[in-house]
Amino acid sequence: MSQIDDLPPLRDVIETHGLRAKKSLGQNFLLDLNLTARIARVGGSLTGAQVLEVGPGPGGLTRGLLAEGAAKVLAIEKDARCLPALAEIAAAYPGQLTVMNADALTVDTGAHLAAPWRVVANLPYNVGTELLVRWLTPASWPPPWESLTLMFQKEVAERITAAPGSKAYGRLAVLAQWRCDTRIALTLPPEAFSPPPKVHSAVVHLTALPAPRFDAEADVLERVVAKGFNQRRKMLRAALKGVVPDLEDRLLSAGIAPTERAEQVSLEQWCALARAVAS
Ligand code: SAM
């Protein structure tokens, strides 16, 4: 196995700094540095890139990002126990790694990185979806980031990339695919992590499109889609009841039969419905 840097193996780092994984912080660490370098490369060359990493933990993925040529990495870690291990990486890459001991939900990334930045993260499962939805719903588009390479539970990754008509298709698929290209780049078994989680994981790669695929007001689309999928077994004329007067006419004008269910509606139809609701 080739070495990606001259720092100690991650098992030694964890041992030295007493980083026993905490379930409450979603800590499942990646220990194979060749794998973390591979994840870092999912979005193409990182040479010169500005990268946000959420939850670096002992720094396996951080080391992958820096070894792959990232010019600057902002790593936000809630667990102060990880800071000494991350300081060793910062010392090995002078001026390239900034570590913040904070909750990623409270940090304004734009204040620390020059756009367009990328996000590469093995996300803590408890805040992963919330962070993704925030990145997908900024006030204006295109966003300050150009791509997101994110580790999720495989089931969540499938919800992001799902096609209409499938069980996994829902709000996350519509929000993500409206403004991004999405793909599952790799899937990983539980044994790839320490400690192993109960489920398989997958790395999703999202690339921001210069403009949304179809016209729609973001807040209207989000509201209609959330309500439609909230009662996904119901016909849309029932699931969307009360959203707008003349609901059935507006569904029909968007090319959607009022008897259809949310999971049968394409992205283009959701956007047409959002326009009909807004008009
Ligand atoms: N990146 C490391 C790796 O791949 O081995 C660790 C990944 S582990 C799944 C998630 C990390 O996110 C943990 O280090 C955890 O302490 C951190 N974390 C959890 N909640 C956080 C939050 N709200 N903000 C920042 N970091 C958080």
Side-chain angles (χ1 to χ4, degrees), residues 138-179:
S140 62
W141 200 267
W145 52 266
E146 57 183 350
S147 66
L148 311 173
T149 304
L150 306 173
M151 179 88 70
F152 282 106
Q153 300 177 46
K154 185 160 169 261
E155 180 226 309
V156 177
E158 286 167 351
R159 281 167 44 206
I160 295 165
T161 55
S166 64
K167 251 181 144 175
Y169 183 62
R171 171 173 170 256
L172 272 188
V174 174
L175 285 188
Q177 295 172 35
W178 181 42
R179 305 207 263 205

Side-chain angles (χ1 to χ4, degrees), residues 85-106:
L86 295 168
E88 288 172 7
I89 306 173
Y93 291 90
Q96 287 177 257
L97 173 62
T98 304
V99 178
M100 286 180 71
N101 183 203
D103 179 339
L105 291 168
T106 66

Side-chain angles (χ1 to χ4, degrees), residues 25-30 53 55-57 76-78 102-104 122 124:
L25 287 170
Q27 292 184 336
N28 300 100
F29 302 133
L30 288 167
E53 185 191 1
I76 306 172
E77 174 56 62
K78 194 171 174 183
D103 179 339
N122 176 11

Side-chain angles (χ1 to χ4, degrees), residues 112-237:
H112 303 275
L113 290 179
W117 30 274
R118 306 190 203 180
V119 182
V120 185
N122 176 11
L123 288 175
Y125 290 148
N126 45 353
V127 292
T129 313
E130 181 167 354
L131 283 167
L132 173 65
V133 170
R134 286 190 189 190
W135 288 319
L136 291 174
T137 55
S140 62
W141 200 267
W145 52 266
E146 57 183 350
S147 66
L148 311 173
T149 304
L150 306 173
M151 179 88 70
F152 282 106
Q153 300 177 46
K154 185 160 169 261
E155 180 226 309
V156 177
E158 286 167 351
R159 281 167 44 206
I160 295 165
T161 55
S166 64
K167 251 181 144 175
Y169 183 62
R171 171 173 170 256
L172 272 188
V174 174
L175 285 188
Q177 295 172 35
W178 181 42
R179 305 207 263 205
C180 298
D181 278 330
T182 68
R183 70 183 164 93
I184 292 183
L186 58 139
T187 55
L188 297 174
E191 312 80 74
F193 303 83
S194 175
K198 289 204 170 62
V199 293
H200 279 64
S201 301
V203 175
V204 191
H205 186 67
L206 302 95
T207 314
L209 297 170
R213 268 178 227 284
F214 307 104
D215 263 357
E217 282 177 30
D219 56 338
V220 181
L221 180 66
E222 282 164 38
R223 190 159 49 89
V224 170
V225 168
K227 190 134 167 90
F229 281 106
N230 198 24
Q231 296 177 292
R232 56 189 297 141
R233 282 160 203 272
K234 286 199 175 168
M235 293 178 190
L236 285 172
R237 68 176 171 213

Side-chain angles (χ1 to χ4, degrees), residues 49-101:
Q50 304 258 318
V51 183
L52 166 66
E53 185 191 1
V54 174
L61 184 53
T62 321
R63 287 165 63 175
L65 295 168
L66 291 161
E68 289 297 318
K72 177 157 185 201
V73 176
L74 170 66
I76 306 172
E77 174 56 62
K78 194 171 174 183
D79 185 353
R81 295 180 311 154
C82 300
L83 300 182
L86 295 168
E88 288 172 7
I89 306 173
Y93 291 90
Q96 287 177 257
L97 173 62
T98 304
V99 178
M100 286 180 71
N101 183 203

